[in-house]
């Protein structure tokens, strides 16, 4: 009999993810959380049209009235309802002087903490184009008719004089934003006052006197409530940790494989980051010491464009040019399942308020808690006895590591203190 | 009889005496052969009987090969996939395949080439219409791409040699990519093929077979853009890219339909006048003549965009961990 390798998919806890592809389609992937069920594409929004290719997307993930903003290649920004795909409002990115073709939007953020939003159905979004035109605008779509959409650009500013911006990110408290790109050092902006507060300095020449030109391809903040620490990936396959409060040069920098870093995502604990590169390698690093925790192996062969971390379950999703969305377990680093979506994918986001079919009767909070419990038991059930042993071992190691890291932290604090004192 | 039964139950590899083991094994093999022959005979007999009785002969079994026991692959293209067609309409090759642009190919070598490179290229030039050879000199590939873009080339082929042997082939779609890197092997040039023909200057027909998955389709379309989309059937020239187990075989033929009178029929013509009409219609035989070169390609990587080793993004790279089974194919 032919020996065939079966892709063993342990299945996923109940989750809902949205993916965005080059044909402008938004696909919804759901798993109901039953035993070893493979997630499926349940909905597809939009018609295949290459000019509507999705460049950036942002989701406001909340229980009541979630919003999804999608930037398209033809310069349109659409605000959708992520539950059913209904279009709230579509505005054109009116940079009337330059055609949208050579000034594409590269990053977008939809603000969640907006007091006005709930009351009068308005939302605020920050978008940044390749040439560094960042703009903040608030969109009002309270009236149902599409004619009187009032968009007023609150602020516009230039992020950089020259070079191409390739990545941007807004921190968890939504007061600061990061921009970086080809020929653009990473810089931090205060969004309330619209001022640049910090710019990185290029690392020194290496021992051969060779200076690598700056090209940042991805940035991410390490934790939600701290805007001072962030990680950046470069096209010279380097991951760097910056600390605004410490110095202008990277605190730690380390290499990962041999192709440019294309996607970065942070874990909720603020110590681990997930790194994806242009040949489809995905790995997790401990950012405090730059140590490789492990690689995610799953026959992935196309460049990773986007990584998303599920807010509650220990799951990440990755997608990219090989047109698969893959769900991974963070702890065991095993592939949970892979869904083939036919096109090159540009982004993936999680809708964390999705509840599986099993516990729709419970109230929201309970169900989420239960979900967590379920997921825990679920993940425990997944392991064969052997693996369980391994996991327990790993846990032990993890504890040790934690201990070690604590020491590290202390050291770091000390060093910080020293630097501060020196500055004084 | 008892002994035979015993022998059958024995596993020859368990016997420690070599002579005995060899004997038992030979016996076993012989028996198997006889059984097989018997089965074949029975099958043939059944078929013959069925034919005599005018019944349907029992269906023949298809042998199990690596290709038809291929691992199930969800990326295999389906004919009713609208997203696939929309994607095809929008990709980098559509303007050539829709005949909006006539393909124009630039061929060059690697920097430190040996004589085999230009030899091979001179044959490629006779295969691909509207192809131009430029000496590589000391130019960077990125500079060459800029140059070719400025001159409206639609593809760029780079032939790599090492130790006086061909070893790599880069096919770059211009201006937006993608870049496919092939390993090239089993090269036989035209002069080494016996009874080879010499191709004419007509536009060839193109045969692409077995490019089934999404990746395969993309590679197939990339190859398609090298050739003009309107073949001149007068030339009776055909270029084949045949994919089998992820190896792409290149062949270049001339074909001819020949009227050939069968000798037996000629004899029968003299004997009976009734069959004269049949014989007057000559039997048409298609004949092939190979006009080289002949080579095999294997995909190493497919890069998004034009050639860029440092900052490039890959759509597909071959990794050793993907070779989990002999029955897993990517094209």
């Amino acid at each position: 009999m032919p020996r065939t390798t079966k892709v063993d998919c342990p299945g996923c806890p109940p989750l809902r993810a949205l993916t965005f592809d080059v044909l402008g389609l938004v696909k919804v992937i759901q798993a109901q959380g039953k035993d070893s069920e493979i997630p499926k594409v349940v909905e597809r929004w939009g018609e295949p049209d290459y000019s509507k290719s999705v460049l950036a997307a942002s989701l406001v993930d909340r229980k009541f009235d979630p919003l999804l903003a999608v930037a398209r290649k033809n310069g349109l920004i659409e605000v959708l309802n992520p539950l059913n795909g209904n279009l709230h409002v579509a505005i054109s990115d009116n940079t009337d002087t330059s055609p949208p073709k050579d000034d594409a939007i590269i990053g977008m953020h939809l603000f969640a903490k907006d007091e006005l939003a709930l009351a009068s159905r308005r939302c605020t979004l920050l978008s940044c184009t390749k040439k560094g035109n960042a703009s903040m605008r608030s969109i009002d779509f309270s009236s149902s008719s599409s004619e009187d959409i009032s968009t007023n650009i609150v602020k516009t500013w230039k992020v950089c004089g020259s070079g191409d911006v390739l990545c941007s990110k807004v921190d968890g408290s939504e007061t600061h934003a990061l921009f970086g790109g080809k020929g653009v050092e990473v810089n931090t902006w205060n969004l309330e006052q619209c001022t640049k507060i910090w710019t990185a300095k290029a690392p020194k020449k290496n021992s051969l006197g060779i200076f690598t030109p700056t090209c940042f391809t991805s940035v991410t903040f390490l934790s939600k409530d701290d805007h001072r620490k962030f990680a950046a990936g470069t096209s010279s396959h380097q991951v760097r940790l910056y600390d605004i409060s410490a110095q202008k040069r990277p605190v730690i920098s380390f290499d990962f494989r041999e192709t440019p870093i294309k996607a970065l995502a942070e874990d909720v604990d603020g110590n681990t980051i997930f790194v994806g590169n242009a040949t489809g390698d995905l790995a997790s690093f401990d950012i405090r010491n730059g140590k490789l925790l492990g690689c995610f192996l799953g026959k992935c062969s196309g460049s990773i464009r986007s990584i998303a971390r599920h807010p509650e379950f220990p799951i990440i999703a990755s997608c990219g040019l090989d047109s698969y969305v893959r769900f991974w377990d963070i702890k065991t680093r095993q592939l949970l399942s892979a869904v083939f979506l036919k096109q090159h994918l540009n982004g993936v986001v999680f809708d964390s308020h999705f509840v599986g079919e099993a516990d729709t009767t419970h109230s929201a909070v309970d169900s989420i808690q239960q979900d967590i419990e379920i997921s825990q038991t679920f993940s425990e059930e997944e392991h064969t006895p052997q693996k369980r042993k391994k996991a327990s071992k790993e846990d032990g190691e993890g504890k040790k590591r934690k201990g070690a890291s604590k020491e590290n932290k202390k050291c770091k604090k000390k060093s910080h203190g020293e630097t501060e004192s020196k500055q004084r | 009889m008892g002994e035979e039964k015993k022998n059958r139950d024995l596993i020859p590899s368990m016997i420690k005496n070599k002579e005995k083991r060899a004997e038992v094994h030979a016996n076993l093999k012989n028996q198997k052969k006889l059984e097989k022959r018997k089965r074949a005979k029975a099958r043939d007999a059944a078929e013959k009987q069925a034919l005599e009785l005018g019944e349907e002969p029992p269906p023949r079994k298809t042998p199990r090969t690596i290709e038809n026991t291929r691992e199930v692959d969800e990326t295999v293209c389906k004919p009713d996939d609208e997203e696939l067609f929309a994607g095809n309409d929008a990709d980098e090759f559509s303007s050539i395949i829709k005949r909006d642009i006539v393909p124009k190919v630039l061929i060059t070598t690697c920097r430190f080439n040996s004589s085999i490179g230009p030899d091979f290229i001179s044959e490629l030039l006779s295969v691909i219409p509207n192809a131009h050879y430029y000496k590589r000199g000391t130019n960077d590939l990125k500079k060459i791409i800029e140059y070719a873009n400025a001159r409206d080339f639609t593809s760029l082929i780079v032939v790599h040699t090492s130790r006086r042997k061909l070893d790599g082939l880069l096919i770059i779609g211009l201006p937006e990519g993608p870049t496919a890197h092939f390993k090239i092997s089993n090269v036989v040039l035209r002069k080494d093929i016996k009874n080879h023909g010499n191709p004419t200057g007509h536009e060839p027909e193109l045969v692409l077979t077995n490019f089934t998955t999404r990746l395969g389709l993309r590679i197939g379309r990339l190859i398609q853009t090298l050739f003009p989309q309107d073949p001149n059937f007068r030339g009776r020239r055909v270029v084949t890219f045949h994919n089998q187990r992820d190896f792409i075989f290149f062949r270049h033929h001339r074909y001819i339909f020949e009227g050939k009178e069968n000798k037996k029929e000629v004899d029968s013509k003299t004997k009976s006048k009734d069959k004269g009409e049949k014989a007057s219609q000559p039997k048409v035989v298609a004949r092939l003549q190979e006009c080289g070169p002949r080579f095999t390609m294997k995909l190493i990587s497919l890069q998004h965009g034009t050639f860029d080793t440092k900052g490039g993004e890959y759509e597909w790279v071959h990794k050793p961990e993907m070779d989990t089974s002999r029955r897993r194919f990517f094209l």
Side-chain angles (χ1 to χ4, degrees):
Chain A
M1 274 303 288
R3 186 173 59 87
T4 52
T5 50
K6 250 193 174 176
V7 183
D8 45 332
C9 293
C12 297
L15 55 84
R16 179 184 159 98
L18 304 168
T19 61
F20 311 96
D21 64 23
V22 287
L23 283 183
L25 303 175
V26 181
K27 287 181 182 172
V28 185
I29 299 162
Q30 275 187 10
Q32 298 294 354
K34 288 167 197 157
D35 298 337
S36 68
E37 187 214 8
I38 301 160
K40 278 182 211 128
V41 180
V42 288
E43 273 176 276
R44 197 192 88 177
W45 303 331
E47 285 301 310
D49 182 2
Y50 189 65
S51 66
K52 292 175 93 180
S53 168
V54 179
L55 299 171
S58 173
L59 178 75
V60 175
D61 193 13
R62 56 189 172 209
K63 188 78 191 160
F64 171 70
D65 190 26
L67 286 174
L68 172 73
V70 171
R72 298 192 186 271
K73 200 180 179 185
N74 54 6
L76 277 180
I77 297 174
E78 290 177 0
V79 181
L80 306 166
N81 183 349
L83 297 177
N84 51 20
N86 288 348
L87 184 70
H88 281 314
V89 63
I91 55 163
S92 70
D93 180 34
N94 46 354
T95 45
D96 35 26
T97 49
S98 64
K101 221 180 185 184
D102 46 283
D103 201 17
I105 294 172
I106 53 97
M108 202 166 47
H109 184 83
L110 202 57
F111 287 84
K113 286 167 192 165
D114 202 351
E115 285 81 17
L116 292 168
L118 291 175
S120 65
R121 307 225 1 119
R122 65 176 32 250
C123 60
T124 314
L125 62 84
L126 169 75
S127 68
C128 178
T129 63
K130 200 175 177 186
K131 289 194 174 155
N133 298 315
S135 60
M136 211 143 50
R137 51 189 108 196
S138 67
I139 306 165
D140 198 346
F141 50 89
S142 51
S143 53
S144 56
S145 65
S146 58
E147 285 164 14
D148 36 288
I149 296 160
S150 62
T151 63
N152 45 337
I153 293 176
V154 181
K155 293 157 202 165
T156 40
W157 69 93
K158 215 54 180 141
V159 171
C160 60
S162 62
D164 293 342
V165 178
L166 293 179
C167 50
S168 70
K169 189 90 181 174
V170 175
D171 75 328
S173 56
E174 299 186 325
T175 51
H176 292 82
L178 273 179
F179 301 96
K182 193 176 181 181
V184 183
E185 288 289 344
V186 186
N187 44 46
T188 313
W189 287 72
N190 188 333
L191 292 178
E192 280 155 359
Q193 290 147 17
C194 263
T195 47
K196 191 194 277 189
I197 55 170
W198 185 84
T199 315
K201 221 176 188 181
K204 282 174 187 168
K205 288 172 186 173
N206 66 2
S207 57
L208 299 172
I210 296 167
F211 172 72
T212 45
T214 52
C215 185
F216 289 95
T217 48
S218 52
V219 284
T220 182
F221 285 98
L222 283 190
S223 63
K224 278 200 164 174
D225 35 66
D226 186 11
H227 72 271
R228 284 167 298 184
K229 273 188 183 178
F230 59 86
T234 68
S235 78
S236 52
H237 50 90
Q238 223 175 32
V239 182
R240 295 174 187 161
L241 170 68
Y242 285 96
D243 193 342
I244 294 180
S245 53
Q247 59 191 35
K248 289 209 155 192
R249 292 215 163 97
V251 181
I252 297 171
S253 66
F254 52 89
D255 285 356
F256 176 57
R257 300 277 164 98
E258 266 138 17
T259 46
I261 311 294
K262 283 288 172 187
L264 281 177
E266 79 285 3
D267 203 351
V268 273
D269 61 359
N271 301 327
T272 315
I273 57 165
F274 306 105
V275 180
N277 76 359
T279 46
D281 302 309
L282 185 63
S284 61
F285 278 92
D286 191 333
I287 194 65
R288 290 165 300 186
N289 47 18
K291 264 192 182 161
L292 178 70
L293 295 177
C295 284
F296 294 82
L297 297 175
K299 297 171 196 166
C300 180
S301 60
S303 168
I304 292 171
R305 284 259 173 103
S306 163
I307 304 170
R309 165 79 164 86
H310 197 283
E312 277 128 29
F313 305 131
I315 283 178
I316 56 169
S318 73
C319 73
L321 292 185
D322 67 342
S323 46
Y324 272 98
V325 171
R326 288 162 212 267
F327 297 99
W328 311 85
D329 193 329
I330 290 174
K331 284 171 188 159
T332 59
R333 286 190 286 278
Q334 267 186 333
L335 182 66
L336 293 178
S337 60
V339 188
F340 180 61
L341 292 177
K342 298 176 189 174
Q343 271 81 242
H344 295 168
L345 300 170
N346 276 340
V348 58
V349 288
F350 273 116
D351 181 3
S352 65
H353 294 284
F354 174 72
V355 181
E357 266 181 0
D359 18 284
T360 37
T361 47
H362 301 283
S363 68
V365 183
D366 285 351
S367 66
I368 288 166
Q369 280 175 353
Q370 255 191 4
D371 278 358
I372 296 165
E373 284 167 17
I374 286 169
S375 76
Q376 280 166 358
T377 51
F378 192 79
S379 58
E380 275 174 19
E381 277 167 12
E382 287 310 317
H383 307 307
T384 51
Q386 271 189 339
K387 274 174 191 164
R388 191 177 284 170
K389 267 182 198 169
K390 238 185 203 174
S392 62
K393 261 187 197 171
E394 275 179 4
D395 281 353
E397 280 174 11
K399 274 169 197 168
K400 276 179 203 167
R401 244 180 238 152
K402 265 184 191 171
S405 60
K406 265 181 193 171
E407 285 174 12
N408 272 348
K409 241 187 184 175
K410 274 178 192 171
C411 289
K412 221 183 239 174
K413 269 184 187 171
K414 254 187 189 175
S415 66
H416 278 239
E418 280 171 13
T419 50
E420 277 174 13
S421 60
K422 270 179 192 172
Q423 280 171 354
R424 275 167 206 163
Chain B
M1 281 298 286
E3 258 186 33
E4 261 184 33
K5 255 195 177 175
K6 243 185 193 175
N7 278 353
R8 254 184 213 176
D9 293 339
L10 270 176
I11 306 162
S13 60
M14 300 283 281
I15 302 168
K16 282 180 180 166
N17 185 333
K18 185 172 180 182
E19 246 172 65
K20 187 71 186 166
R21 186 171 67 231
E23 190 195 323
V24 170
H25 183 256
N27 257 339
L28 211 71
K29 215 175 172 187
N30 195 29
Q31 269 172 21
K32 268 188 186 168
K33 199 176 101 187
L34 290 178
E35 268 170 33
K36 196 178 176 186
R37 199 178 282 171
K38 217 187 241 172
R39 258 183 289 139
K41 239 180 191 175
R43 196 185 58 211
D44 285 351
E47 206 165 89
K48 211 176 179 185
Q49 203 181 0
L51 276 176
E52 272 177 7
L53 293 173
E55 290 170 2
E56 278 280 292
R60 291 212 159 188
K61 286 172 187 168
T62 48
R64 200 183 270 145
T65 60
I66 287 187
E67 281 93 6
N68 63 22
T69 54
R70 174 181 185 165
E71 265 182 37
V72 183
D73 194 348
E74 55 196 337
T75 66
V76 169
C77 301
K78 289 169 192 94
D80 56 337
D81 194 350
E82 57 150 332
E83 287 175 33
L84 168 69
F85 296 121
N88 278 351
D89 279 342
D91 70 0
E92 299 96 328
F93 320 118
S94 63
S95 62
I96 292 174
I97 289 170
K98 283 179 190 160
R99 304 185 195 183
D100 296 339
I101 307 170
V102 178
K104 188 179 171 193
V105 183
L106 191 152
I107 305 183
T108 187
T109 57
C110 56
R111 274 186 63 176
F112 305 104
N113 64 318
S114 58
S115 63
I116 182 86
D119 282 358
F120 179 69
I121 284 172
S122 70
E123 301 203 348
L124 270 191
L125 288 175
S126 70
V127 173
I128 303 171
N130 203 7
H132 307 270
Y133 169 55
Y134 282 72
K135 277 188 184 167
R136 173 70 183 264
T138 55
N139 299 309
D140 291 340
L141 202 48
K142 283 187 186 173
K143 284 273 159 62
I144 294 175
I145 289 168
E146 272 174 33
Y147 174 88
N149 271 337
R151 255 144 253 242
D152 294 331
F153 281 96
T154 58
S155 328
L156 171 65
I157 297 178
V158 184
V159 176
H160 265 269
T161 54
S162 82
R163 297 186 202 166
R164 274 174 244 109
K165 278 197 174 158
L166 293 168
D167 74 335
L169 194 71
L170 268 175
I171 301 180
I172 304 174
L174 297 175
E176 279 160 2
T179 305
H181 184 199
F182 294 98
K183 184 178 83 180
I184 189 166
S185 56
N186 296 338
V187 183
V188 183
L189 294 184
R190 185 175 300 150
K191 69 175 196 324
D192 300 327
I193 297 174
K194 270 186 187 172
N195 300 328
H196 67 83
N198 287 318
T200 52
H202 297 87
E203 277 84 13
E205 297 161 46
L206 189 63
V207 179
L208 296 162
T209 48
N210 280 349
F211 292 91
T212 49
T213 62
R214 294 300 289 247
L215 178 70
L217 191 78
R218 216 165 145 69
I219 295 294
R221 282 171 77 86
L222 176 68
I223 291 170
Q224 204 181 342
T225 55
L226 297 177
F227 293 89
Q229 302 304 306
D230 41 350
N232 192 342
F233 294 103
R234 240 162 214 291
R236 306 192 314 274
R237 200 150 83 85
V238 61
V239 173
T240 315
F241 288 88
H242 174 80
N243 171 35
Q244 190 168 1
R245 306 184 189 176
D246 279 357
F247 288 94
I248 302 169
F249 297 93
F250 172 88
R251 295 290 183 274
H252 182 202
H253 292 284
R254 252 167 37 158
Y255 63 88
I256 194 160
F257 296 115
E258 265 191 351
K260 203 179 183 185
E261 290 193 12
N262 219 334
K263 268 192 179 176
K264 274 186 185 175
E265 279 182 67
V266 174
D267 289 345
S268 64
K269 194 181 169 186
T270 52
K271 278 176 187 171
S272 66
K273 286 175 184 175
D274 301 332
K275 285 179 184 174
E277 281 184 14
K278 270 189 185 173
S280 67
Q281 282 180 347
K283 198 183 173 190
V284 177
V285 179
R287 292 205 302 139
L288 278 180
Q289 185 182 31
E290 188 165 357
C291 27
R294 191 195 282 175
F295 58 89
T296 310
M297 307 193 290
K298 187 160 201 244
L299 187 66
I300 294 172
S301 68
L302 180 68
Q303 197 183 331
H304 192 70
T306 53
F307 182 82
D308 187 0
T309 45
K310 269 204 160 172
E313 271 184 293
Y314 290 88
E315 284 177 32
W316 186 84
V317 197
H318 183 263
K319 289 181 185 173
E321 77 222 33
M322 296 193 294
D323 297 327
T324 48
S325 155
R326 305 166 64 195
R327 294 161 207 281
R328 196 172 133 88
F329 302 118
F330 301 101
L331 292 182

